[in-house]
Amino acid sequence: MELLLQTVGKWAVARPSGRLSESSSLDFEKACLEKIHEGNRWLAFDLSEVSYINSADLRVLIYCQKLLKEQGGGIAILSPQYNFKEAIEISGLHR
């Protein structure tokens, strides 16, 4: 997994690419939490280049959503691949 993080307006945008696997989930979580701790309340995940996502990485997305909602912010999931779009919907991340 490679991860590009940038700020666009009020949004911190995370653009991971490749496979989000158990071995990369700790790095993914650390990078996302750093953005939150820097004061970003809005975090967008552009998943257009992600070929696989596992349950540990879904947990990271859910955790970020929970933290940001508590701070009056939220997340956006952009361009999820068809093969894991259903998992995102089941987890409630699409709301």
Side-chain angles (χ1 to χ4, degrees), residues 21-79:
S21 62
E22 195 167 340
S23 63
S24 65
S25 66
L26 290 177
D27 292 334
F28 183 53
E29 181 175 18
K30 182 180 175 187
C32 293
L33 291 179
E34 282 178 13
K35 283 296 186 186
I36 293 171
H37 293 306
E38 289 172 2
N40 292 288
R41 292 189 326 186
W42 301 97
L43 189 52
F45 296 93
D46 180 351
L47 302 180
S48 60
E49 298 296 319
V50 174
S51 59
Y52 174 81
I53 191 167
N54 73 2
S55 61
D57 295 300
L58 279 175
R59 184 196 61 79
V60 171
L61 297 176
I62 293 167
Y63 183 59
C64 288
Q65 181 183 46
K66 179 183 182 286
L67 287 177
L68 291 169
K69 276 189 174 184
E70 290 171 354
Q71 298 175 22
I75 70 168
I77 306 293
L78 309 173
S79 304

